[in-house]
Amino acid sequence: MRPPRESAKLGLSNAKPFPMRLLIPRPAWLAALLLLAACATTQTPPPEGASADALLLVSIDGLRADQIGSGAMPTVDALARQGVQAAAMIPSFPTLTFPSHYTLVTGLRPDRHGIVHNNFADPALGVFMSKRDSARDGRFWGGEPIWSTAEKAGIPTATMFWPGSEAEIAGQRPRHWRRYDGSLSPAQRVQQVLAWLDLPQAERPRLLTLYFDQFDVAAHAKGTFSPESMAALRAIDYALAQLLQGLDARGLRQHTNLLLVSDHGMADVRRENVSFLDDRLPAVDYAVSWHGQIAGVTPQPGAAARVEKALLGRHERYACWRKAELPARWHYGSNPRIPPIVCQADTGWRVQLRSHPVPPLLKGEHGYVPEDPQMHGVFIASGPAFATPRRIPAFDIVDLYPLLARLLGVTPQPNDGNPDTLLPLLDASEGPAR
Ligand code: AMP
Ligand code: ZN
Ligand code: ZN
């Protein structure tokens, strides 16, 4: 049995006041109780304005907005029906896993937080960051992720995977975290989250992340609606049902706000749909750092004019811009980690060099423009702060962060999000149903 909400706020979960109280004279047990409360409170000072509710941020990588309500995920569909569901969450540019996930937890656009792609070179540091290894190097990660802010406020946090969670950022790490291991099943990830929730009060996280990549992996290889992708969604959905049961069994369901999001959507592609930059200009004059939905081009010294003449502008299946001239709505192009020329492929296509391999199994992709509805992600909110079922319009991914900060009761760091998008939801759920 978990402690009731008020005693959890006081940090009294391990105290056993009642039987003791009968044996000890009143002033003594009162003093002991106050002392115990004071000690426990020092360990986990509740931040100002914070509610004691836990916040669980769940990401299903690549889940497309229109997959909610399709019946593929009955647990997720039920959460959407009973809570708040957005028509879509519009990803930042580029619509890739690392930039988007780090935007979710900072409220900063990739141009500002510095994770400008899944893999990139940092000219100042002279090093390359890849989502595989150097993701553990804190120097790449700008801004302050919500778990660092929470830890500074004395709120224990735990990350069951999340880009950025393996690095020390802003002098902090999540209290509990795991090295990324894609082989961990959805059920195993949920078991870890529940195990963290079983920790003693002082260590028990109040902000948790939970990340699922099984759908993304299957959809890339086999297609968005392939049997393999549907099986991945079923496995994730079943694990989420176990999570909800686990919360119920611990008496935590009514004290946990659950936000279910995705970083971007997914589009079906044909492997042979590739445009080659070197069909316009041989690659001796430039280097290409990103291949795929977005290509990054760096002209060789002295070759800039030639390269720009050949590549800038609209082509049959892609378009290229100088980084400073990218469409303003993408808020992208000022970061030194972005190559001088950026090419964006049309949905369904790749843009790259002929020498670059195309993945052998390729049926699904993202990385296309955020305006494309196929790239739109998911937002569902459920829990005590979202008691009134509501449908809200599509919103920009940067607007999630002010809600995270408010739900935790921490002061938001400077960010690109608009607090007016989601914070009114909280007023609505506290007031009469609309
Ligand atoms: P992408 O589809 O290329 O944008 O990247 C998604 C893939 O990144 C997932 O399918 C995982 O294999 C991998 N990935 C996700 N999170 C992490 C992480 N924290 N560390 C390393 N790799 C990750
Ligand atoms: Zn992703
Ligand atoms: Zn992916």
Side-chain angles (χ1 to χ4, degrees):
M1 264 295 283
R2 294 285 129 188
R5 202 166 168 194
E6 277 310 306
S7 56
K9 265 186 201 166
L10 286 170
L12 280 172
S13 63
N14 298 326
K16 291 183 192 152
F18 289 109
M20 298 260 292
R21 189 173 96 171
L22 301 174
L23 304 174
I24 312 172
R26 189 183 159 91
W29 69 252
L30 202 64
L33 196 63
L34 285 173
L35 188 70
L36 208 64
C39 294
T41 311
T42 335
Q43 279 174 348
T44 50
E48 218 167 296
S51 80
D53 292 331
L55 174 58
L56 187 46
L57 178 63
V58 181
S59 163
I60 302 178
D61 197 316
L63 188 65
R64 210 161 87 177
D66 63 3
Q67 290 180 290
I68 303 300
S70 68
M73 307 187 85
T75 309
V76 169
D77 287 353
L79 287 173
R81 273 196 309 276
Q82 293 151 13
V84 177
Q85 182 194 356
M89 190 163 69
I90 300 165
S92 46
F93 182 96
T95 57
L96 299 173
T97 298
F98 267 49
S100 281
H101 273 93
Y102 200 53
T103 289
L104 284 164
V105 294
T106 57
L108 297 169
R109 298 189 191 280
D111 210 29
R112 279 185 74 195
H113 64 51
I115 305 299
V116 297
H117 197 279
N118 284 339
N119 313 286
F120 56 85
D122 184 297
L125 299 172
V127 280
F128 188 76
M129 132 106 195
S130 83
K131 66 180 176 185
R132 288 276 158 237
D133 314 312
S134 26
R136 293 168 199 153
D137 184 338
R139 293 174 302 171
F140 292 114
W141 304 84
E144 182 171 297
I146 190 73
W147 55 75
S148 291
T149 311
E151 287 288 348
K152 286 181 183 173
I155 299 172
T157 64
T159 48
M160 183 58 253
F161 302 155
W162 202 274
S165 63
E166 296 176 43
E168 182 180 307
I169 309 174
Q172 298 284 335
R173 285 176 187 277
R175 185 87 45 105
H176 314 283
W177 56 278
R178 297 277 304 248
R179 275 223 187 295
Y180 175 73
D181 172 3
S183 72
L184 233 59
S185 70
Q188 286 171 315
R189 298 178 196 204
V190 161
Q191 287 316 313
Q192 172 64 85
V193 162
L194 291 173
W196 279 327
L197 290 171
D198 284 333
L199 287 171
Q201 170 93 17
E203 286 299 309
R204 188 188 315 151
R206 206 155 71 63
L207 165 66
L208 303 101
T209 69
L210 171 59
Y211 168 78
F212 297 108
D213 44 5
Q214 292 79 8
F215 170 72
D216 179 80
V217 171
H220 279 299
K222 304 283 185 173
T224 315
F225 299 101
S226 63
E228 292 82 355
S229 300
M230 292 300 114
L233 290 185
R234 273 197 303 280
I236 295 167
D237 193 73
Y238 186 68
L240 286 174
Q242 288 177 316
L243 173 70
L244 297 178
Q245 267 176 26
L247 292 175
D248 274 335
R250 290 163 177 78
L252 289 176
R253 179 82 177 268
Q254 64 275 35
H255 303 301
T256 305
N257 287 308
L258 193 149
L259 299 179
L260 179 80
V261 298
S262 63
D263 50 345
H264 49 68
M266 189 68 66
D268 284 338
V269 301
R270 289 158 56 94
R271 190 173 175 274
E272 56 274 25
N273 285 354
V274 190
S275 304
F276 297 107
L277 291 166
D278 34 355
D279 285 356
R280 300 196 69 80
L281 185 70
V284 283
D285 277 340
Y286 57 97
V288 178
S289 40
W290 302 326
H291 302 254
Q293 295 65 50
I294 296 153
V297 177
T298 306
Q300 301 296 358
R306 221 169 20 251
V307 174
E308 289 190 349
K309 186 161 182 291
L311 295 186
L312 291 185
R314 177 79 219 170
H315 311 296
E316 202 181 342
R317 302 292 182 183
Y318 66 96
C320 302
W321 295 261
R322 285 190 199 100
K323 62 189 275 192
E325 295 166 1
L326 281 157
R329 63 181 180 280
W330 294 342
H331 307 279
Y332 190 80
S334 69
N335 196 294
R337 295 168 175 174
I338 301 170
I341 296 175
V342 175
C343 303
Q344 170 68 56
D346 294 352
T347 297
W349 284 76
R350 294 173 66 80
V351 52
Q352 61 171 73
L353 290 178
R354 281 196 173 273
S355 57
H356 193 80
V358 176
L361 284 177
L362 188 59
K363 294 267 178 67
E365 275 295 8
H366 48 88
Y368 301 116
V369 296
E371 311 72 90
D372 181 341
Q374 295 188 90
M375 293 299 105
H376 289 181
V378 163
F379 170 87
I380 294 167
S382 155
F386 308 97
T388 312
R390 286 190 68 175
R391 303 287 157 267
I392 60 170
F395 67 87
D396 191 325
I397 190 168
V398 291
D399 297 343
L400 181 82
Y401 173 82
L403 178 67
L404 300 182
R406 176 64 63 86
L407 287 169
L408 286 169
V410 298
T411 307
Q413 293 296 299
N415 65 87
D416 296 321
N418 178 0
D420 296 335
T421 306
L422 296 179
L423 295 192
L425 289 175
L426 301 177
D427 304 338
S429 71
E430 280 154 18
R434 288 180 197 174

